Amino acid sequence: MIKNFSELDLDLNLLDAIEECGFTRPTQIQAESIPQALNGKDILASAPTGTGKTAAFVIPALQYLQDFPRKQAGPARVLILTPTRELAMQVADQARLLAKNTKLNIATITGGVMYQEHAELLAATQDIVVATPGRLMEYIEAERFDCRAIEWLVLDEADRMLDMGFGPIVDRLSGECRWRKQTLLFSATLEGKGVEGFTADLLNEPERIDAEPSRRERKKISQWYHRADDMEHKQALLKHLLTEQAEKTIVFIKTRERLADLRSKLESEQITCSWIQGEMPQDRRNNAIRRFRDGEVNILLATDVAARGIDLPDISHVINYDMPRSADVYLHRIGRTARAGKKGCAISLVEAHDQPMMERISRYIKEDIKERFIDGLRPKHKKPVFKKKKKNKPDSKTKPAKKAKAKKK
Ligand code: ADP
Ligand code: MG
């Protein structure tokens, strides 16, 4: 396994740009994917959120475009599909940074943009187009976007695209790009919801990569929880965390209604925050994210739907104001902090009925998430105990009779 970017067969201009991005060593997914992609292989890769999947496909794509320079002006040669507009913009930004020492053109085509704005862009020569499936398909149907020149097709966050119902459109786009040479699929997970089945027609004898992030990449998130008696207690805990501990924080909330409640509550406490939720006008959403990213505000309230796929660098704290509905969603949420080498904290506020979920999460991530207390805000209720699954541990020695009985049942 390579340890340094310099071991990869990359042009100097690219190595320089990588260094300027502050990437000193490749992450696990990058070390495993880049050499395969450069060898012309199709790729089916999974790695947790925040482990550098973007550069894992952007770097080899840029190298490919330089190894096989275009001979004349023309349409895009690399197409990257992402589930959301924000993600498309972020991928394009990252690609522009890495391509800064080249003349390669990078454009985005997404919904939420006026059709005229795309006209110029579609007429000009592009090397890489980053697009959301829906809008791109409209242009293809109107014969305004030509897929015949696409040599690389990349699907980013394939699991999210499927979740969001883009499967059929992506299939059609794949058909449109049938002259391509290589296909790369990246996902946080390859399990569940049919990513595997979906990929069968898209990929040609892919290299399958399940990147276990290295210790250095993982392990930087401290996780703990506070028990809350009720809503009021929960809000007091949150206020304390936001004012006393957190720096740059995402607070996750279950529903839009609850988000609105919390927002007005925080406002009345003079705690400023921005917020995003599903079904929000695009410009307001972008504005909220920009204010948070630029540091105008340090608290972002979000629902899971709204927060899909957004990369917000330098988040110090993720707070689960409401517990997620699955351990998988928990991992997605906390993956937003401690990105690639930075430290982070993930704090959950747990009501009595959330306790089983907290324990399920602990088992799922194979880590013991400890409870912490804040003076003056200790919970009044006793920690609920839920029946554990049968485990024949030490007491099997002391009470052999009982154990035998239990077994018969
Ligand atoms: P993912 O797509 O896996 O969720 P991203 O590609 O969004 O992750 O990367 C997460 C963050 O890590 C970004 O801010 C990115 O700039 C940074 N990053 C990527 N690769 C490296 C690296 N090799 N070293 C340090 N930081 C990196
Ligand atoms: Mg990503």
Side-chain angles (χ1 to χ4, degrees):
M1 188 63 53
I2 59 147
K3 289 242 154 26
N4 292 300
F5 284 109
S6 56
E7 291 165 58
L8 293 164
D9 215 354
L10 300 175
D11 286 4
L12 261 185
N13 71 61
L14 199 43
L15 285 173
D16 286 345
I18 291 169
E19 196 181 324
E20 280 175 58
C21 283
F23 303 173
T24 46
R25 297 163 63 190
T27 62
Q28 193 67 20
I29 185 72
Q30 291 163 2
E32 293 187 48
S33 308
I34 297 173
Q36 301 283 7
L38 290 173
N39 270 336
K41 292 274 176 37
D42 276 10
I43 286 182
L44 173 58
S46 75
T49 309
T51 56
K53 289 190 285 298
T54 318
F57 55 77
V58 168
I59 290 172
L62 292 173
Q63 184 59 47
Y64 173 86
L65 290 169
Q66 296 182 79
D67 285 343
F68 304 96
R70 69 160 68 243
K71 302 207 176 66
Q72 56 200 32
R77 301 170 62 199
V78 172
L79 174 61
I80 302 170
L81 297 176
T82 69
T84 66
R85 180 185 174 189
E86 283 87 27
L87 192 61
M89 297 196 294
Q90 280 160 25
V91 168
D93 285 347
Q94 171 101 92
R96 287 191 189 104
L97 283 176
L98 289 166
K100 60 186 285 210
N101 303 320
T102 73
K103 294 211 171 72
L104 298 169
N105 289 330
I106 296 154
T108 56
I109 294 180
T110 65
V113 172
M114 307 274 275
Y115 286 87
Q116 303 98 285
E117 279 183 47
H118 283 146
E120 216 173 305
L121 186 157
L122 288 165
T125 289
Q126 303 296 344
D127 295 291
I128 299 181
V129 164
V130 189
T132 49
R135 182 59 79 88
L136 185 69
M137 200 65 216
E138 285 180 35
Y139 289 134
I140 291 171
E141 279 168 350
E143 296 190 357
R144 295 179 58 197
F145 185 87
D146 186 354
C147 285
R148 277 173 301 182
I150 298 293
E151 293 163 55
W152 276 42
L153 175 64
V154 181
L155 309 183
D156 191 20
E157 303 225 0
D159 51 345
R160 297 284 168 224
M161 283 205 271
L162 284 186
D163 272 359
M164 291 169 77
F166 285 136
I169 298 193
V170 172
D171 268 337
R172 286 173 59 201
L173 288 172
S174 161
E176 296 288 336
C177 299
R178 59 187 163 277
W179 292 279
R180 67 186 182 269
K181 300 197 172 82
Q182 252 172 285
T183 311
L184 295 81
L185 181 149
F186 287 79
S187 191
T189 58
L190 294 176
E191 282 136 42
K193 296 259 169 75
V195 183
E196 298 261 20
F198 174 69
T199 59
D201 301 334
L202 288 173
L203 303 171
N204 177 24
E205 295 177 21
E207 285 298 323
R208 177 166 173 151
I209 299 168
D210 290 290
E212 268 287 310
S214 68
R215 252 219 148 72
R216 184 172 57 89
E217 290 161 45
R218 249 179 318 141
K219 273 300 164 196
K220 294 266 170 77
I221 308 179
S222 345
Q223 302 168 57
W224 71 87
Y225 71 92
H226 296 283
R227 276 188 301 125
D229 295 322
D230 50 26
M231 192 52 69
E232 219 172 296
H233 186 205
K234 210 164 166 175
Q235 289 175 349
L237 285 165
L238 179 69
K239 186 184 167 193
H240 180 94
L241 292 170
L242 290 177
T243 51
E244 302 289 327
Q245 299 190 12
E247 291 143 41
K248 195 142 189 85
T249 309
I250 295 195
V251 181
F252 280 101
I253 300 132
K254 200 155 43 181
T255 63
R256 280 189 270 168
E257 292 73 25
R258 288 170 64 85
L259 189 147
D261 284 350
L262 183 62
R263 184 159 52 90
S264 51
K265 175 82 191 162
L266 292 176
E267 259 163 31
S268 71
E269 308 263 11
Q270 266 85 48
I271 298 174
T272 39
C273 53
S274 62
W275 51 280
I276 50 171
Q277 60 186 26
E279 290 178 36
M280 185 177 186
Q282 196 72 51
D283 51 339
R284 285 182 61 193
R285 196 180 148 91
N286 288 343
N287 197 35
I289 293 170
R290 185 196 52 72
R291 294 210 311 144
F292 183 64
R293 196 181 287 143
D294 296 351
E296 274 175 48
V297 291
N298 285 321
I299 302 167
L300 180 72
L301 311 182
T303 57
D304 290 304
V305 181
R308 261 178 191 162
I310 306 173
D311 176 32
L312 301 155
D314 294 322
I315 289 171
S316 64
H317 290 68
V318 169
I319 299 181
N320 294 312
Y321 182 74
D322 290 321
M323 288 301 280
R325 57 189 158 70
S326 72
D328 195 48
V329 174
Y330 178 87
L331 270 188
H332 266 287
R333 286 183 180 182
I334 73 164
R336 293 168 179 289
T337 183
R339 307 214 117 189
K342 298 193 180 93
K343 282 217 169 79
C345 301
I347 309 170
S348 300
L349 302 181
V350 173
E351 292 177 69
H353 63 87
D354 296 319
Q355 199 75 38
M357 178 52 80
M358 196 70 243
E359 280 155 29
R360 197 176 319 153
I361 290 167
S362 259
R363 285 196 299 276
Y364 184 80
I365 65 172
K366 301 193 181 74
E367 263 179 76
D368 188 25
I369 304 176
K370 292 238 157 52
E371 177 172 5
R372 286 196 193 171
F373 300 95
I374 296 169
D375 277 340
L377 289 172
R378 286 178 178 263
K380 296 196 178 67
H381 73 281
K382 256 181 73 188
K383 186 165 163 180
V385 181
F386 293 87
K387 261 193 232 140
K388 287 228 176 82
K389 295 237 170 72
K390 270 191 276 177
K391 242 189 194 172
N392 307 323
K393 264 205 188 146
D395 70 358
S396 59
K397 275 178 201 158
T398 49
K399 295 174 189 166
K402 231 184 188 172
K403 189 190 144 204
K405 248 189 214 164
K407 253 192 175 169
K408 263 183 214 157
K409 276 187 193 167

